Amino acid sequence: MKNIIRIIAGVILTAVGLLALLGFSLIKEKAYFLSPDGVIDPHSFLQFKICLSSLLIIGIYLIFYRRVNLGLALTTRRITDMSRVRFLLLFLIAGFLLRLAVQIFLPLRFWADCLGYEELALNWLKMGGYYDGSFPTANWPPGYPFFLSRLYWLFGHQPQVGVFANILLNLGICYLAYLIIRKIWLEKVARLTLVIMLLFPSQILFVNLLLSENLFTFLFILSLYLFIRGRSISEAGLPRSHRFTIFMGGLTLGLATLTRALTLVYLPLLIPFWKWQSGYHRTAFRNFLIALVGLSLVVVPWMVRNHYKLGAASIATNGGVNLYLGNNPIAGMGWIPPDSNIFVLNNPAYEAYNDSLGFTLGKKYILDHPLSFIKRGLMKVAYFYSIDVDAVHYDLIQAAGENKTNGYVILGFMAQYYYILILFMAAGGFLLVLARPSRYLNAGAYLLVATILYWSGVHFVFFGFGRFHFPIMAMISALAALFIAYKTEKMI
């Protein structure tokens, strides 16, 4: 009976995917409900088409479930039969070459946020600080502009150096994910996680974009690794906390927060993790305070700077505007341009004013329209997870200008199909953790799931964008790897 239900579901999903590919005009007119103001731009329509068509790959998987899993089982066995050193060398070198090929064969041009970071980095070199023109700024967090400016200071104005740094950072993300999953589950799951990450199209293509994703994610994943490493077993067999390691984790999380401010309130999620690890509330709160000291040493001086120079004691002054963009009468699922009739645009002297006004208007809309807030929030989260073609979109625009190309469409479909299949398997991994808690549910598993839920909550409130799930792809890949390991463990 289960097999029949699975095949029927596979046929239905395959049919929907084919309909989206071949007869999208039948669906297109029905898609306007996705936008509260009844308008969807052509790019969003193309993303919607790619999203629906990607159900095809899930349908094919369900129809050929046993054959696909057998192939995965054979691949998994080859991966796990290698020595650890050989495995790491082989796949990290392969991952490096894939990313290097992107740097070599895709031209580097600046567009949208890439151009903004480039200008801020060059201005940092020129002015000796964080300025927009001649005005002090904090419109974006300072981490990535500072990082890029130091690369230019060391090597000259060579944007390709920034791309190469992204390659190294991304490989570091993949390796840290492997180390973390080794401590949470089995070596097999850790190896599969690394392979999934190294082959992820969006992870590969994002190295060619001078955006904050790779630096932020590296720092964030490194902080999680340090927090997990902050506990060991003494010779007497008792748990032992390493306070300095936890402090360094807080410090690293602070650096991540100065790169993307959304982790400013992430730290409380670690209290249950430390309680689970140690079994003691006292240890959990002590570790929290140690990590908080480390984070504060990095973050507070920057907030003080912004208070005196801008009149806003915050990490960045775009938080209020972003809150309003996700919560207003014409807000959709993703980013929309700020209204020049409401905000004073293109004038850095008004950053703090715009920030305060955005928070005021955004909170007022949420309180006045609670049902609309919930509906929009669910739509934003759905949009946040539904698409993984932003890296393709940005890269192809850089290579070919604003004109969409066949290359964009082909790469977009490939990236989306890979992503949606991994996302489907990750959902299976999540259900597996719930179904077999004695085997798979532990402090580390809690941290993975809590992080995914935290990211979902942030974008429920603000706005969704496929690009913004980049930092949690390690967690999603790990759940997918757990699903694959479980489904294939008895097949060969």
Side-chain angles (χ1 to χ4, degrees), residues 24-166:
F24 187 64
S25 59
L26 298 175
I27 299 173
K28 187 174 181 180
E29 294 180 0
K30 306 296 183 182
Y32 287 103
F33 77 93
L34 294 172
S35 176
D37 59 353
V39 177
I40 300 181
D41 63 274
H43 174 62
S44 295
F45 263 132
L46 181 56
Q47 289 195 325
F48 182 53
K49 177 178 182 177
I50 292 174
C51 176
L52 278 181
S53 71
S54 63
L55 297 177
L56 172 67
I57 198 69
I58 298 178
I60 292 173
Y61 171 71
L62 292 175
I63 294 171
F64 300 100
Y65 178 78
R66 294 189 182 279
R67 291 187 179 182
V68 174
N69 282 348
L70 180 59
L72 290 173
L74 292 170
T75 303
T76 300
R77 181 164 184 174
R78 290 188 177 185
I79 289 171
T80 53
D81 282 348
M82 295 181 192
S83 69
R84 183 166 176 252
V85 172
R86 184 186 176 193
F87 164 77
L88 289 174
L89 283 175
L90 178 63
F91 280 94
L92 287 174
I93 290 173
F96 172 76
L97 292 176
L98 282 172
R99 287 152 178 78
L100 188 63
V102 167
Q103 180 177 13
I104 293 172
F105 294 110
L106 277 182
L108 179 63
R109 290 172 58 190
F110 295 100
W111 181 83
D113 289 0
C114 301
L115 179 61
Y117 282 122
E118 170 76 359
E119 291 175 347
L120 289 169
L122 292 176
N123 214 33
W124 203 311
L125 282 176
K126 177 183 175 182
M127 303 291 292
Y130 199 29
Y131 289 87
D132 184 352
S134 59
F135 288 93
T137 186
N139 189 50
W140 288 350
Y144 191 67
F146 176 77
F147 175 77
L148 199 56
S149 72
R150 295 311 91 185
L151 291 177
Y152 291 165
W153 178 72
L154 286 170
F155 301 102
H157 182 214
Q158 301 291 335
Q160 290 293 346
V161 174
V163 175
F164 191 75
N166 278 347

Side-chain angles (χ1 to χ4, degrees), residues 94-338:
F96 172 76
L97 292 176
L98 282 172
R99 287 152 178 78
L100 188 63
V102 167
Q103 180 177 13
I104 293 172
F105 294 110
L106 277 182
L108 179 63
R109 290 172 58 190
F110 295 100
W111 181 83
D113 289 0
C114 301
L115 179 61
Y117 282 122
E118 170 76 359
E119 291 175 347
L120 289 169
L122 292 176
N123 214 33
W124 203 311
L125 282 176
K126 177 183 175 182
M127 303 291 292
Y130 199 29
Y131 289 87
D132 184 352
S134 59
F135 288 93
T137 186
N139 189 50
W140 288 350
Y144 191 67
F146 176 77
F147 175 77
L148 199 56
S149 72
R150 295 311 91 185
L151 291 177
Y152 291 165
W153 178 72
L154 286 170
F155 301 102
H157 182 214
Q158 301 291 335
Q160 290 293 346
V161 174
V163 175
F164 191 75
N166 278 347
I167 292 175
L168 299 180
L169 288 169
N170 192 259
L171 292 175
I173 292 166
C174 297
Y175 181 63
L176 285 169
Y178 164 77
L179 294 178
I180 289 172
I181 302 307
R182 280 188 82 216
K183 290 187 168 295
I184 296 175
W185 292 313
L186 302 171
E187 172 75 18
K188 179 197 293 188
V189 180
R191 292 191 182 193
L192 287 171
T193 301
L194 180 62
V195 173
I196 290 170
M197 289 287 288
L198 288 172
L199 297 179
F200 229 111
S202 58
Q203 296 287 322
I204 296 169
L205 290 168
F206 254 112
V207 301
N208 202 46
L209 301 170
L210 296 184
L211 294 170
S212 63
E213 268 70 14
N214 278 293
L215 177 62
F216 168 76
T217 306
F218 175 79
L219 292 170
F220 176 64
I221 298 291
L222 178 59
S223 71
L224 295 187
Y225 174 69
L226 291 170
F227 290 140
I228 292 173
R229 279 291 302 269
R231 176 182 178 272
S232 63
I233 303 299
S234 68
E235 293 181 0
L238 299 174
R240 178 176 58 188
S241 293
H242 298 274
R243 299 179 184 181
F244 180 73
T245 304
I246 292 170
F247 170 77
M248 291 302 298
L251 208 67
T252 308
L253 185 63
L255 293 174
T257 304
L258 288 186
T259 308
R260 293 278 297 275
L262 83 167
T263 49
L264 182 62
V265 293
Y266 175 82
L267 206 52
L269 266 70
L270 287 156
I271 295 176
F273 166 75
W274 282 314
K275 166 63 172 65
W276 201 323
Q277 264 197 339
S278 66
Y280 298 100
H281 288 94
R282 180 178 178 182
T283 301
F285 282 104
R286 184 197 65 199
N287 289 348
F288 169 76
L289 292 175
I290 292 171
L292 182 62
V293 170
L295 182 142
S296 300
L297 286 175
V298 177
V299 167
V300 170
W302 181 254
M303 297 176 71
V304 171
R305 175 262 190 193
N306 291 342
H307 172 72
Y308 283 104
K309 286 187 176 289
L310 304 170
S314 57
I315 303 295
T317 55
N318 62 351
V321 176
N322 285 338
L323 180 67
Y324 175 76
L325 295 183
N327 299 279
N328 67 77
I330 63 168
M333 298 171 289
W335 182 86
I336 59 173

